[in-house]
Structure formats: C-alpha cells, structure tokens
Amino acid sequence: MSFRNKVVLVTGASSGIGASTAVAFAAEGARVAIVGRNEKKLAITAGKCEQKGSKSLIIAADVTKDEDVKRILEDTINHFGKLDILVNNAGIAPNASILAPETMETFDATMSTNLRSVVYLTHLAAPYLVESKGNIVNVSSVAGLAIVTNNRSAYAASKAGLDHFTRCVAFELAAKGVRVNTVNPGPVRTDIMEADGITDEQRDAMLAGARVPLGRVGEPEEIADVILFLASDKARSVTGSSYVSDNGMVMSVHTKMSLVNK
Ligand code: NDP
C-alpha cells in the first residue's frame, strides 16, 4: 500500500489513533498534514513521521472553530498543492448522564467536534478531492452502531450521525470518483478518557471488562491499518461503508440477540 506522493490530512493527529495513522501514512511515503490543538504533541507526531522519511506539516487548530477549519485547508493546499486523502479523526467522548445539568453544553461540544467539524472540513475539501479522485475516511465508533454506552448518549448520537452523513456524502460524491467510508473501532487503548479524569489504570480496568469475543483491546496502530486500507486502491470498490474493527464486540451483541430469539 504505497502512498508515495499522496497528500493526506489527518485531524486529531496529536494523539492516539490519529497520531498512529499519520505515522503509518508517512511510513508508506505520504506527505501528511497533521492537525490538533496541542502543539507539543503534534511535534512528537511530526518527529515520528520524519523518522519514517516524511516531513509533515503541523497545523495547530481547533476543529470547532470555523476560521481554524478554513485555515487547515488553506495551509494544506498552500503547502502541498493538492489533497488526496482526508482522515476526519478528531473526537471527544465526554462522560455525562442525560440527568446532568450540563447536558446541553456536553451535547453541543460533542456535536461540534465529532460531527459539525467533519461536515465543514468535508465541504471545503471536496473540490480538491474531486480533482485528485481522492477519498475520505471518517473515524466513527461502534457506539454509532449496535453498542449502547452508559452516559455517552451525545457521543453515540454524534457517531451515528457521522455514519449516515458518510453514506449520504459517499452517494453524492460517487459520480465524481470520490470514495467516503468510516472505520468504527471498538475500545482502543488511547487517551480519549483522560479528559474525564480517568487514569490509565482505570481505563485499562474498564477496557478489560468490555465484552469482546477476541478477548483483547484494540491498539491505535490496528485502527491505522484499517484506515490505510480504506484509503488505498485496494479498497477501490468500497464506499459508503462502516468498517468495524472491534475484536468482535458488535458481533457478540447480534449473537446474544439471536440466541434470545430462539
Ligand atoms: P485521543 O484523545 O487520543 O485523540 C483525540 C484527538 O482528537 C487528539 O489528537 C485531539 O487533539 C483531537 N481533538 C479533540 N478535540 C479537538 C478539537 N476541538 N480540535 C482539534 N483536535 C481535537 O483519542 P482517540 O485516538 O481514541 O480518538 C480518535 C477518534 O477515535 C475519535 O473520533 C474517537 O471518537 C474515535 N474512537 C476511539 C475509540 C477508543 O476506544 N479510543 C473507540 C472508537 C472510536 P488535541 O487535544 O491536540 O486538540
């Protein structure tokens, strides 16, 4: 899967799945624009890309701010001259009960980060992707599919919305030769729960308790592998798909239901 001379834009590349994805693209020869708010962490990702032989473009930006989203696209095109692949990965997963007083603040922040920013970035990137016959990979979640999560209804709604937005845009852009897909990870070992004050030890204990048939937790590099596959020519017939990488979590939900139905 060589991405030599391809230009890839990855949001949320300062950490976790996005950082691993940027490095994996760099290792395959891509030129990568990496986006996040934390410049120190972006510099670490850039260093890892450089070790793979690719000098990346750091764009410190907040995807919830329209002026920042515009700048993300402008900087990428000004620097690289084109765009082949957009990976909309930046996301938050706040822990908040529907009974909590801050319900609407949580909902707005989650939708703004996980869905609205994707809509705007897709709108701005689409003309360039039409030109390059490129593609988009959106990082969704099993929470947008069959998995119901406690105290994360805004997160689940944002990811379900992202999945259907993806299908609609995939349909619309298919005639123009642009593919659009999601990867839907199950639990992955990253810092996403850090914002809720959850320590690495607490996170690992929670992940160990997740019911996954393969009995293991995902690693960011494994999700990056799926993203690279979806972005590659090997997936040239794949569009409008939600590609699950969850160690069997969604399957186990369906299996339990079919047992009940017997
Ligand atoms: P991390 O917390 O490790 O990474 C999240 C990334 O999103 C960071 O780089 C962060 O950058 C960026 N980000 C968040 N808000 C903004 C913002 N307003 N503007 C710009 N960047 C932002 O989490 P993951 O790697 O786990 O999450 C990546 C994606 O994977 C998310 O969409 C998440 O929903 C999805 N996912 C994760 C799962 C998991 O179990 N970890 C499971 C299923 C899906 P910075 O802080 O520098 O702004």
Side-chain angles (χ1 to χ4, degrees), residues 4-258:
R4 200 150 297 284
N5 295 323
K6 297 288 183 195
V7 173
V8 184
L9 171 55
V10 183
T11 68
S14 54
S15 167
I17 293 168
S20 292
T21 301
V23 175
F25 273 116
E28 295 295 332
R31 292 174 291 164
V32 191
I34 54 176
V35 178
R37 293 163 301 184
N38 188 320
E39 291 190 54
K40 274 191 189 154
K41 286 186 173 180
L42 285 173
I44 294 171
T45 305
K48 290 180 182 169
C49 289
E50 201 154 355
Q51 279 173 11
K52 302 289 181 190
S54 172
K55 195 163 165 40
S56 51
L57 172 67
I58 292 178
I59 306 175
D62 181 339
V63 296
T64 66
K65 295 184 176 155
D66 285 357
E67 63 273 22
D68 282 20
V69 175
K70 270 191 204 156
R71 181 165 52 79
I72 290 169
L73 241 292
E74 281 165 10
D75 286 1
T76 303
I77 298 300
N78 287 341
H79 190 81
F80 293 120
K82 64 167 184 166
L83 179 65
D84 296 292
I85 295 155
L86 169 62
V87 181
N88 284 306
N89 163 77
I92 55 171
N95 181 22
S97 161
I98 194 67
L99 298 171
E102 65 275 17
T103 291
M104 293 322 294
E105 285 86 349
T106 304
F107 181 82
D108 288 344
T110 308
M111 284 294 175
S112 179
T113 310
N114 295 4
L115 186 53
R116 189 181 185 282
S117 74
V118 176
V119 174
Y120 193 32
L121 205 45
T122 301
H123 164 68
L124 295 175
Y128 298 100
L129 295 171
V130 168
E131 204 176 315
S132 63
K133 298 279 176 269
N135 69 80
I136 302 174
V137 182
N138 292 326
V139 180
S140 183
S141 167
V142 291
L145 300 170
I147 302 296
V148 177
T149 51
N150 199 23
N151 291 347
R152 286 197 166 81
S153 57
Y155 179 70
S158 74
K159 295 301 188 181
L162 178 61
D163 280 9
H164 205 51
F165 170 75
T166 299
R167 286 186 284 271
C168 293
V169 175
F171 187 73
E172 189 176 337
L173 294 183
K176 303 201 184 292
V178 176
R179 298 183 298 108
V180 192
N181 293 290
T182 67
V183 58
N184 296 60
V188 182
R189 204 182 313 275
T190 70
D191 292 340
I192 199 157
M193 295 178 194
E194 213 177 49
D196 292 330
I198 291 172
T199 64
D200 286 358
E201 292 73 28
Q202 286 169 325
R203 176 203 61 195
D204 286 348
M206 277 167 68
L207 293 179
R211 284 197 306 262
V212 282
L214 287 180
R216 57 188 297 284
V217 169
E219 299 296 338
E221 296 76 15
E222 296 169 344
I223 307 305
D225 284 346
V226 179
I227 292 171
L228 263 70
F229 164 71
L230 288 171
S232 77
D233 280 348
K234 287 185 189 299
R236 59 192 170 277
S237 66
V238 184
T239 197
S241 281
S242 295
Y243 213 96
V244 173
S245 174
D246 68 343
N247 290 296
M249 201 178 190
V250 170
M251 169 183 71
S252 74
V253 172
H254 291 314
T255 308
K256 273 183 82 182
M257 285 178 71
S258 62

